[in-house]
């Protein structure tokens, strides 16, 4: 009996071992099938409802807005024509005329018209749809009012179809980053007839996004969708630029476990990973792993301070905390993955924006500020609490900062980690002293960061309100001249750092693994990679 | 046995209703909601979302609404995945979880019973010590370590098996089934060894041997029937545990089973999905416990005759 089992198992292993073992990456090269690690299972693929990064990766292959990100961005040339082949902007910067590509078609072969954009924008601004990104279009005349029920007639909103291929957009203010906004999926069109066939304009649960039903205007079309397994998209023959598209299929895998994704990459099952296990990053850097990519990314890791807390309402205390953090040490010894110390809220360099703010590492000054605030050995500083969502990376950063504040200022710090939703709800109601935060830009402009800290913004969460800051950001958004605009924003940034309701720690980098077979995949500060430029080729 | 079956089914109904009710109010108490996100939505948008999912009604109204839908077999729409119903998502993940559990239990039974019986028969020899030591390791090594270890050896170093997936690449079901099966094989080995040792010392075994039966007949026909009752009793909770607890293996091997939906629903505060999967798994636990109780009754000649 035992002998039989042994013979059987040896034969089995032998058979498996001898079978020709072609990995998906190898076979993908031959068939132009791109295997894409995609983080988590997407909420859906309705561009007006979903909100996440995995959803973006899929949607950028299925649908297309008026503009697309330039694969080789240089200076202000960050966006190139998408469904709009050209556009003109009025001198006052408030009126845009988009000329749609006459060959642009939906994946069912019907032409894409200007009316399709008008209807799609009406859909996202329909309050009962419950879209989470209507504010992307609040820059249009009447858009905020329509969404909030102040006006009922959509004709009063600043978007009109002049004819089948001409779209006119009127903005409230000159908004220099408006072209960039248009490459965000919330502004992309949906196929009216398909949506209405499966529900009303405001139906969140319509089945129009299922394989077989889904119609959109991107370079690929939806082929299959196996929940929690993979989504397959195939080349759309009706795409106006189909001859440019070299990939035949993209397979998106919702791999939420970073270690699993790393193993899949090493075993040749993926061309691209969505992230990297943090503990492996320094090892791969030391090994000079050629597949490891570290690209600039428009995101800031920071600590929010609850300025309504009695102790932390004193700006000297907030500055003392910020000045006693050695950011260089933090990125060199703790995060260890090419992150850049942050001395401003907006990451420098994005679209030519170079804030001049400084946050010194000066423990002596920090101690002095704390003394000025009235803390001494007779009146010791009360215990502080750092709130963060449960994650090994956040814990390491918090530990390092706990140590720095303990050593430099003699402050006792308690670390509190909470489940993601508990952490969010505590932040929302202001039940924290200091909390970990991160922010990734939605579009390539400092406004995507600075707008956050204006009074009454839901994501401010610090209780800090500064009317001078607010006026500067407001005024900057009415100016068309980028240089003058940036001057105002630099000033706003300075007020923010002087008041320190947040402590910037480091600028994110995008860390991932990429197979050398993948070509046409260039670093992009928002991590937008249009798949029509990507192809597979072995050197 | 038929009476026992129906009595237990009747008891199960209030149990499941109680599970549904307790779960409903527990998730309402948990801080955070389904639409809390890093990028907070405006109060207007939140109001629209709450209206869309009837979350603006009072907890009691929502409870009555949910329970009446539940009694009609409607588990509602998922909050996290717009356009998907909870029933549909359970139906998608269930066959995969069942298949994984089936292979795992098969591996566990074959490996566990074989080594357990062998250890009992060869008591206090190397054929006892070695399988039992391995079983102890199987119990002690958690699946989140066993899985990556097997992947490292067979997937990355030897390159003979895929490291993840389910039904995508040839042989991708082997490592997850082994990982999950091995942990249960260890328990079954120890249980069958214990059960067999107890039975092998009893009079009817001596009688069987005195009758001149072959050792194989004594073990297979007489000893195993009684000796494996603990294993059968263990199987009910084990299968239920396999179904509900396959989350770790499903995550390590990127398997689209129900376990991942279950755990991720809790993290996402996907209320209807948490309720749907909890009720479903409770029903599974009740059902498999009942089945294993009935099987144990049937295996035991005294209770079989009595019923």
């Amino acid at each position: 009996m035992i002998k039989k089992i042994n013979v059987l198992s040896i034969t089995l292993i032998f058979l498996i071992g001898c079978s020709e073992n072609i990995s998906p990456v190898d076979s993908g090269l031959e068939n132009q099938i791109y295997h894409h690690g995609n983080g988590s299972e997407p909420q859906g693929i309705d561009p007006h409802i979903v909100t996440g990064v995995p959803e973006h990766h899929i949607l950028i292959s299925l649908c297309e807005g008026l503009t697309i990100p330039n694969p080789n961005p240089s200076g202000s040339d960050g966006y190139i024509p998408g469904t709009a082949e050209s556009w003109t902007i009025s001198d006052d910067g408030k009126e845009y005329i988009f000329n749609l590509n006459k060959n642009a078609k939906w994946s069912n072969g019907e032409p894409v018209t200007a009316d399709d954009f008008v209807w799609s924008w009406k859909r996202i601004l329909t309050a009962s749809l419950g879209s989470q990104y209507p504010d992307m279009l609040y820059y249009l005349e009447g858009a905020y009012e329509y969404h909030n029920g102040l006006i009922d007639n959509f004709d009063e909103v600043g978007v009109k179809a002049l004819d089948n291929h001409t779209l006119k957009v009127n903005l409230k203010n000159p908004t220099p980053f408006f072209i960039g906004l248009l490459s965000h999926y919330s502004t992309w069109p949906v196929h009216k007839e398909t949506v209405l066939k499966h529900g009303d304009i405001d139906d969140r649960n319509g089945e129009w996004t299922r394989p077989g039903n889904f119609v959109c205007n991107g370079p690929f079309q939806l082929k299959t969708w196996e929940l929690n397994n993979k989504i397959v998209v195939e080349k759309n023959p009706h795409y106006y630029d189909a001859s440019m598209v070299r990939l035949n299929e993209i397979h998106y895998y919702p791999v939420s476990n970073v270690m699993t994704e790393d193993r899949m990459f090493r075993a040749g099952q993926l061309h691209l990973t969505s992230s990297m296990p943090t503990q492996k990053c320094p090892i791969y850097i030391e090994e000079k792993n050629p597949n490891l990519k570290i690209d600039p990314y428009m995101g800031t890791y920071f600590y929010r301070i609850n300025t309504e807390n009695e102790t932390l309402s004193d700006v000297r205390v907030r500055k003392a905390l910020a000045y006693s953090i050695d950011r260089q040490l933090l990125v060199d010894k703790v995060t260890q993955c090419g992150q850049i110390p942050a001395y401003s809220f907006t990451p420098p360099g994005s679209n030519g924006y170079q804030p001049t703010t400084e946050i010194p590492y000066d423990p002596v000054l920090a101690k002095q500020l704390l003394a000025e605030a009235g803390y001494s050995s007779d009146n010791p500083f009360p215990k502080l609490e750092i709130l963060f969502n449960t994650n090994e990376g956040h814990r390491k950063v918090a530990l390092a900062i706990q140590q720095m504040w303990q050593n430099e200022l003699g402050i006792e710090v308690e670390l509190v980690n909470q489940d993601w939703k508990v952490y969010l709800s505590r932040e929302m109601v202001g039940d924290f002293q200091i909390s970990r935060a991160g922010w990734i830009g939605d579009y390539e402009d400092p406004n995507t960061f600075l707008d956050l800290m204006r009074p009454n913004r839901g994501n401010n969460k610090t209780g800090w309100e500064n009317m001078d800051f607010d006026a500067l950001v407001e005024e900057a958004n009415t100016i068309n001249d980028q240089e003058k605009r940036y001057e105002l924003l630099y000033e706003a940034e300075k007020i923010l750092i002087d008041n320190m309701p947040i402590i910037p720690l480091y600028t994110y980098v995008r860390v991932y693994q990429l197979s050398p077979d993948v070509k046409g995949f260039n670093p992009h500060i928002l991590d937008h990679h249009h798949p029509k430029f990507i192809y597979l080729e072995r050197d | 046995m038929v009476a026992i079956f129906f009595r237990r089914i009747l008891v199960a109904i209030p149990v499941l209703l109680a599970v549904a009710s307790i779960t409903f109010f527990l998730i309402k108490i948990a801080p955070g909601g389904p639409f809390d996100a890093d990028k907070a939505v405006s109060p207007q948008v939140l109001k629209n979302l709450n209206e869309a999912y009837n979350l603006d009604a009072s907890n009691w109204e929502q409870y009555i609404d949910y329970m009446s839908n539940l009694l009609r077999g409607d588990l509602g729409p998922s909050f996290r995945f717009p356009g998907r119903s909870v029933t549909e998502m359970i139906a998608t993940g269930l066959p995969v979880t069942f298949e994984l559990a089936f292979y795992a239990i098969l591996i566990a039974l074959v490996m566990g019973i074989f080594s357990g019986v062998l250890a009992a028969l060869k008591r206090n020899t190397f054929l006892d010590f070695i399988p039992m030591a391995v079983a102890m390791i199987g119990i002690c090594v958690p699946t989140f370590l066993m899985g990556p270890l097997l992947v490292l050896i067979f997937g990355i170093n030897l390159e003979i098996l895929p490291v993840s997936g389910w039904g995508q690449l040839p042989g991708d079901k082997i490592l997850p089934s082994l990982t999950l099966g091995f942990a249960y094989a260890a328990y079954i080995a120890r249980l069958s060894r214990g059960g067999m040792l107890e039975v092998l010392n009893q009079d009817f075994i001596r009688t069987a041997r005195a009758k001149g039966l072959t050792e194989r007949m004594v073990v297979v026909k007489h000893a195993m029937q009684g000796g494996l009752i603990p294993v059968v009793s263990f199987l009910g909770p084990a299968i239920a545990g396999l179904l509900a607890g396959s989350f770790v293996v499903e995550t390590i091997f990127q398997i689209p089973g129900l376990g991942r939906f279950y755990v991720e629903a809790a993290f996402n505060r996907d209320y209807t999905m948490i309720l749907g999967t909890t009720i479903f798994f409770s029903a599974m636990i009740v059902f498999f416990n009942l089945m294993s109780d009935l099987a144990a009754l049937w295996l035991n000649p005294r209770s079989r005759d009595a019923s």
Side-chain angles (χ1 to χ4, degrees), chain B residues 204-269:
Chain B
F204 72 92
I205 296 293
R206 200 178 307 129
T207 314
R209 286 203 174 110
K211 279 198 300 191
L213 289 181
T214 60
E215 187 62 16
R216 179 184 290 190
M217 283 294 278
V218 171
V219 172
V220 175
K221 195 160 172 13
H222 295 275
M224 276 176 76
Q225 208 178 45
L228 295 187
I229 289 177
V231 175
V232 175
S233 304
F234 171 70
L235 274 185
I239 293 173
L242 269 176
L243 289 173
S246 54
F247 165 71
V248 175
V249 171
E250 286 178 11
T251 305
I252 294 170
F253 291 98
Q254 188 56 24
I255 297 169
L258 204 50
R260 275 171 70 195
F261 284 137
Y262 189 29
V263 176
E264 282 164 14
F267 286 131
N268 292 325
R269 301 288 191 275

Side-chain angles (χ1 to χ4, degrees), chain A residues 166-402:
Chain A
T166 316
L167 186 75
K168 187 175 88 162
V169 176
N170 288 94
L171 304 179
K172 280 179 198 158
N173 293 309
T175 310
F177 50 89
F178 185 66
I179 289 295
L181 285 181
L182 299 175
S183 73
H184 190 275
Y185 53 75
S186 56
T187 68
W188 295 352
V190 291
H191 188 245
K192 180 179 173 182
E193 287 72 27
T194 306
V195 174
L196 293 180
K197 194 174 154 190
H198 297 275
D200 295 328
I201 190 170
D202 62 347
D203 193 346
R204 291 176 64 83
N205 296 315
E207 294 193 356
W208 73 275
T209 53
R210 300 295 175 90
N213 300 343
F214 191 77
V215 173
C216 214
N217 65 333
F220 292 82
Q221 57 188 3
L222 184 62
K223 188 178 175 187
T224 59
W225 183 351
E226 296 165 50
L227 275 177
N228 259 352
N229 199 10
K230 71 173 171 178
I231 289 182
V232 176
V233 300
E234 62 184 356
K235 191 172 169 175
N236 172 12
H238 298 294
Y239 182 60
Y240 66 86
D241 208 5
S243 58
M244 176 84 188
V245 181
R246 289 167 70 174
L247 293 174
N248 287 321
E249 285 184 3
I250 306 175
H251 294 201
Y252 294 96
Y253 300 88
V255 197
S256 49
N257 184 305
V258 286
M259 294 302 290
T260 302
E261 197 186 39
D262 178 61
R263 290 193 288 268
M264 285 173 76
F265 185 87
R266 287 164 68 195
Q269 289 179 224
L270 292 178
H271 284 106
L272 168 75
T273 64
S274 66
S275 60
M276 262 292 294
T278 45
Q279 67 272 35
K280 288 206 165 183
C281 195
I283 302 167
Y284 283 10
I285 291 174
E286 200 183 320
E287 285 174 351
K288 296 192 170 58
N289 185 330
N291 301 325
L292 175 71
K293 305 287 169 197
I294 301 178
D295 296 342
Y297 196 31
M298 195 179 181
T300 303
Y301 189 101
F302 61 100
Y303 275 180
R304 273 195 178 95
I305 302 182
N306 186 352
T307 58
E308 288 176 345
N309 178 279
E310 200 187 326
T311 316
L312 298 168
S313 60
D314 189 331
V315 67
R316 291 167 298 191
V317 171
R318 301 201 293 266
K319 280 186 172 175
L321 294 173
Y323 295 173
S324 53
I325 295 171
D326 186 347
R327 288 165 181 71
Q328 194 62 50
L329 188 76
L330 197 68
V331 297
D332 288 346
K333 300 290 178 199
V334 182
T335 62
Q336 294 183 295
C337 208
Q339 288 84 354
I340 304 151
Y343 303 102
S344 59
F345 185 36
T346 313
S350 43
N351 209 3
Y353 183 79
Q354 293 291 356
T356 50
T357 49
E358 283 176 6
I359 308 174
Y361 169 54
D362 191 342
V364 178
L365 179 60
K367 268 184 216 154
Q368 195 184 318
L369 283 165
L370 217 53
E372 281 172 23
Y375 296 101
S376 61
S377 50
D378 298 332
N379 178 26
F381 196 86
K383 195 164 144 185
L384 270 186
E385 191 182 280
I386 300 178
L387 172 72
F388 60 99
N389 56 303
T390 309
N391 172 293
E392 190 51 25
H394 302 329
R395 197 182 64 85
K396 280 186 187 165
V397 172
L399 272 171
I401 291 193
Q402 179 189 42

Side-chain angles (χ1 to χ4, degrees), chain A residues 66-67 79 87 89 93-98 121 135-141 158-159 167-184 187 443-445 485:
Chain A
L66 293 165
T67 62
Y79 298 91
W87 55 86
I89 307 171
K94 289 186 182 179
E95 186 175 285
Y96 285 65
I97 304 284
F98 292 96
W121 289 8
D135 50 333
M136 296 299 268
L137 289 178
Y138 277 2
Y139 302 96
L140 268 67
E141 270 179 6
V159 56
L167 186 75
K168 187 175 88 162
V169 176
N170 288 94
L171 304 179
K172 280 179 198 158
N173 293 309
T175 310
F177 50 89
F178 185 66
I179 289 295
L181 285 181
L182 299 175
S183 73
H184 190 275
T187 68
Y443 45 91
E444 209 179 327
D445 189 89
R485 201 173 150 258

Side-chain angles (χ1 to χ4, degrees), chain A residues 98-114:
Chain A
F98 292 96
N99 303 304
L100 302 197
N101 189 322
K102 293 192 173 63
N103 295 320
K105 289 195 174 68
W106 296 100
S107 52
N108 63 0
E110 291 174 15
V112 178
T113 65

Side-chain angles (χ1 to χ4, degrees), chain B residues 8-9 12 15-16 19 90 94-95 97-98 101 235-245 258 262 276-292:
Chain B
R8 292 278 294 271
I9 291 284
V15 167
L16 291 179
V19 166
I90 292 179
L94 188 64
T97 300
F98 262 137
L235 274 185
I239 293 173
L242 269 176
L243 289 173
L258 204 50
Y262 189 29
T277 40
T278 306
I279 295 165
F280 180 78
F281 280 127
S282 311
M284 287 291 105
I285 290 169
V286 169
F287 176 76
F288 283 109
N289 274 337
L290 174 60
M291 287 297 119
S292 83

Side-chain angles (χ1 to χ4, degrees), chain B residues 118-255:
Chain B
L118 188 73
L121 293 175
K122 307 285 178 190
R123 193 179 175 190
N124 295 337
T125 67
F126 273 110
L127 286 176
D128 180 9
F129 299 144
I130 293 173
M132 285 307 109
V134 173
M136 194 44 87
I137 294 170
I139 289 169
C140 297
V141 177
T143 46
F144 62 78
L145 177 60
M146 182 63 76
L149 265 180
L150 291 177
V151 166
L152 205 63
I153 298 166
F154 295 103
I156 293 181
N157 289 340
L158 298 176
E159 293 183 13
I160 54 173
L161 287 171
V163 302
S164 74
W166 190 258
Q168 305 274 326
L169 298 167
D172 61 6
K173 295 180 182 177
I174 296 176
L175 290 183
S177 307
L178 270 178
T179 306
L180 196 55
F182 193 57
Y184 286 88
Y187 282 104
I188 290 176
R190 295 201 67 86
L191 282 173
S192 40
R193 180 180 177 271
M196 285 297 284
L197 280 179
E198 203 181 313
V199 171
L200 283 172
N201 288 330
Q202 292 197 7
D203 292 346
F204 72 92
I205 296 293
R206 200 178 307 129
T207 314
R209 286 203 174 110
K211 279 198 300 191
L213 289 181
T214 60
E215 187 62 16
R216 179 184 290 190
M217 283 294 278
V218 171
V219 172
V220 175
K221 195 160 172 13
H222 295 275
M224 276 176 76
Q225 208 178 45
L228 295 187
I229 289 177
V231 175
V232 175
S233 304
F234 171 70
L235 274 185
I239 293 173
L242 269 176
L243 289 173
S246 54
F247 165 71
V248 175
V249 171
E250 286 178 11
T251 305
I252 294 170
F253 291 98
Q254 188 56 24
I255 297 169

Side-chain angles (χ1 to χ4, degrees), chain B residues 85-98:
Chain B
S85 74
V86 173
T87 316
E88 178 198 358
M89 293 182 78
I90 292 179
T92 310
L94 188 64
V96 176
T97 300
F98 262 137

